[in-house]
Amino acid sequence: MLTWKDIVNFSVNGNLKPDKRIEKSEAQWQSQLTPEQYRITRLKGTERPHSGDMCTSHEAGIYSCICCGTLLFDSTIKFSSGTGWPSFTQPIKDNAVKYEKDTTLGMVRVEIMCNTCDSHLGHVFPDGPEPSGLRYCVNSESLQLEKK
């Protein structure tokens, strides 16, 4: 189980190697994604709080990257954080998510991205429920749900 110490270490010292890498041109990403998906995943945007379809959904399944299909989060570790974005306590695999220090907006945060294609997912914070204490705050537009 990943901890906040692990997350900080990855963001400072480098991430685990992904199982595979997918790279496309910006034109290819734009042709594959909706304008809002492109803005969020490729340009590091954020959807408005409480606006995403997956914020209040609790259907069983696996959440994957909208850009490349990499499995990211299981519905069994999704929780209602009250923040307005889908929240999870752990990625499906330790190397599924990439972490980078983010100093935009005058604060220090840890950005989370798909480790396969570098798609912006959101941020992770150390204020989640036990046992990990982590809250992966993810944009709905960056995910797709494969229902069980």
Side-chain angles (χ1 to χ4, degrees):
M1 174 180 306
L2 294 174
T3 65
W4 183 245
K5 184 177 177 180
D6 297 323
I7 303 305
V8 170
N9 181 52
F10 292 145
S11 71
V12 172
N13 299 315
N15 290 280
L16 297 173
K17 183 179 176 186
D19 293 340
K20 63 181 177 178
R21 287 286 301 158
I22 294 176
E23 296 183 24
K24 295 182 180 183
S25 70
E26 290 307 305
Q28 288 173 307
W29 288 124
Q30 281 183 307
S31 69
Q32 172 187 328
L33 302 166
T34 69
E36 184 70 348
Q37 289 168 339
Y38 181 81
R39 183 185 71 80
I40 290 170
T41 62
R42 308 318 304 176
L43 302 177
K44 300 182 185 283
T46 301
E47 62 197 17
R48 289 182 337 274
H50 305 284
S51 66
D53 292 340
M54 295 183 188
C55 186
T56 57
S57 171
H58 293 283
E59 295 182 74
I62 303 292
Y63 292 86
S64 60
C65 176
I66 195 69
C67 292
C68 70
T70 295
L71 303 180
L72 298 171
F73 302 101
D74 190 289
S75 63
T76 61
I77 47 104
K78 186 174 190 272
F79 69 100
S80 296
S81 66
T83 61
W85 291 275
S87 297
F88 304 88
T89 58
Q90 289 283 304
I92 204 161
K93 289 177 68 175
D94 288 355
N95 70 342
V97 174
K98 178 179 179 178
Y99 307 89
E100 286 189 4
K101 183 178 177 181
D102 177 2
T103 58
T104 61
L105 304 177
M107 63 182 98
V108 178
R109 303 178 290 176
V110 176
E111 178 187 5
I112 55 172
M113 293 164 285
C114 172
N115 205 15
T116 300
C117 72
D118 297 334
S119 169
H120 172 73
L121 302 172
H123 293 84
V124 61
F125 302 95
D127 62 0
E130 293 300 329
S132 74
L134 299 176
R135 174 174 54 94
Y136 286 76
C137 191
V138 185
N139 291 289
S140 290
E141 291 288 336
S142 64
L143 299 173
Q144 58 189 352
L145 175 62
E146 299 172 23
K147 297 177 185 176
K148 288 185 181 176

